[in-house]
Amino acid sequence: LQRASTSSFMDTAPPQPPPPGPPPTGMPQAPQAPPPAGQPPMPPPPAAAPQAAAPAPMVDPLLANAPKEFEKPNQTIYINNLNERVKEKELKKSLQAIFEQFGTILQIVAMSSVKRKGQAWVVFDQIDSAQKALTSMQSFPFCGKPMRINFSKNVSDTVAKKAGTFEPRAKKPLGPKLTPPGTQPRAPLPPAPLPAAPLPAAPLPDSDEPAGKRHKMDPNPAAPPPPSSQAPAPPTTVMPLMPTEYQIPNAILFVQNLPSGTTQDMLTSLFGNYDGFKEVRLVPSRPDIAFVEYNSDVQSAAALANLNNFKMTPEQAIVVSFAKK
């Protein structure tokens, strides 16, 4: 009886109104009745305020300069982004004072060449020391620039020699020289002058005598000429083309017998075809001479051998020699 009364009560209960709020998505909304005459229309419900974006995580400005990926840990750390104005000796002393607090330093490598400026290698005896130095000194301001530190890609020769695993590295062959853009390649060197051909022997005078009598001695030879009181004349010698004081090898060449109108650009294009060329210096008071400088006397000797007696005009050849020291 109680169960039946309960079921009948549930069947006769009035329906509950739906909860307030917007209707579910996808269901049609009932049209709203127009407001009665004389009343203003109801304002629309306020739009939901947009949610604020989550703040970006704070990044340490010093660590923003650190490498994105690190090499395999080893005893050598590689440092770049150093100030290129610091001299090599001062750079090594400064790095020694900065990194010796982390452990024993075996070697510091820093070079002053153009390609090696602004970077250095510090070799520790232990990997832990290198790890501490990398973590502690990453982006440390050094001479106005933050250091960028990473592990070296290769094992240092000092560490390899200490471990007994050192192997000499084969030197890579040098490739052909690349011509910078916008410049013309050097013209090929002129061939060296060939030695002069020997003069042909003078022919023997013709004679009507038989060959057997031609070489017989004359039974009545002519008397020898009387001895002269004058000393015999010394043999004639050919004077050298260049003065003797200019024969000492020198990196500077002395050029003579230049044709009128010779300019510095003309001599630069002529002597600049040889390795080691530095500059051409003209003498304002003597337009027929000039000086050409090379890096070494070996290089100047090559230019001298090829350009001495070189004809700048069909009628005039220049004379090239070593300058007097």
Side-chain angles (χ1 to χ4, degrees):
L1 179 62
Q2 185 177 359
R3 185 180 305 172
S5 61
T6 305
S7 61
S8 61
F9 174 76
M10 295 177 63
D11 294 339
T12 57
Q16 299 293 331
T25 305
M27 295 185 62
Q29 300 182 4
Q32 298 181 359
Q39 289 187 3
M42 296 295 292
Q51 296 182 357
M58 298 296 293
V59 179
D60 191 349
L62 295 179
L63 296 180
N65 193 48
K68 303 301 181 182
E69 297 181 0
F70 291 95
E71 301 291 338
K72 182 180 179 181
N74 58 83
Q75 291 96 323
T76 306
I77 59 174
Y78 168 67
I79 311 169
N80 64 349
N81 199 38
L82 298 174
N83 197 324
E84 298 181 358
R85 297 183 179 180
V86 182
K87 296 183 179 180
E88 180 181 347
K89 292 183 179 180
E90 298 178 359
L91 179 61
K92 289 184 178 180
K93 291 181 180 180
S94 302
L95 294 178
Q96 178 75 28
I98 292 175
F99 289 98
E100 64 182 0
Q101 58 180 321
F102 301 104
T104 304
I105 296 177
L106 301 180
Q107 186 184 14
I108 295 179
V109 179
M111 302 179 186
S112 58
S113 60
V114 178
K115 294 184 178 180
R116 299 294 185 181
K117 277 187 176 181
Q119 52 188 336
W121 289 262
V122 180
V123 184
F124 291 92
D125 62 339
Q126 299 293 334
I127 299 181
D128 295 340
S129 302
Q131 181 73 51
K132 292 179 182 178
L134 184 146
T135 306
S136 303
M137 304 305 295
Q138 186 67 255
S139 300
F140 179 79
F142 177 73
C143 294
K145 299 180 68 176
M147 293 191 295
R148 187 184 296 114
I149 308 176
N150 199 345
F151 290 107
S152 177
K153 294 182 179 180
N154 302 322
V155 179
S156 173
D157 293 346
T158 304
V159 177
K161 290 178 181 179
K162 187 177 179 181
T165 59
F166 174 73
E167 294 182 1
R169 302 175 184 176
K171 294 184 179 180
K172 297 181 179 180
L174 298 177
K177 290 185 178 181
L178 299 178
T179 304
T183 59
Q184 297 180 356
R186 291 185 175 182
L189 301 179
L194 299 176
L199 298 176
L204 295 175
D206 296 335
S207 177
D208 297 336
E209 297 182 0
K213 297 182 179 181
R214 190 178 301 171
H215 299 286
K216 288 185 178 181
M217 295 182 66
D218 191 356
N220 297 320
S228 176
S229 59
Q230 297 180 357
T236 58
T237 57
V238 180
M239 296 299 294
L241 183 62
M242 296 171 288
T244 56
E245 60 267 20
Y246 295 158
Q247 300 300 314
I248 302 175
N250 189 5
I252 301 177
L253 297 179
F254 179 57
V255 186
Q256 308 175 70
N257 199 29
L258 292 173
S260 59
T262 303
T263 62
Q264 187 174 7
D265 294 338
M266 295 171 60
L267 295 177
T268 300
S269 62
L270 180 63
F271 287 88
N273 293 324
Y274 300 89
D275 294 334
F277 172 77
K278 293 181 66 176
E279 62 176 347
V280 172
R281 295 193 293 270
L282 300 178
V283 181
S285 59
R286 292 284 306 277
D288 60 330
I289 64 174
F291 295 91
V292 182
E293 186 176 358
Y294 287 85
N295 291 327
S296 65
D297 54 353
V298 177
Q299 295 169 336
S300 63
L304 185 148
N306 289 279
L307 294 179
N308 187 28
N309 295 329
F310 178 79
K311 289 187 176 182
M312 296 190 67
T313 63
E315 299 81 18
Q316 192 169 355
I318 61 175
V319 179
V320 184
S321 60
F322 292 110
K324 183 179 180 180
K325 291 186 178 181

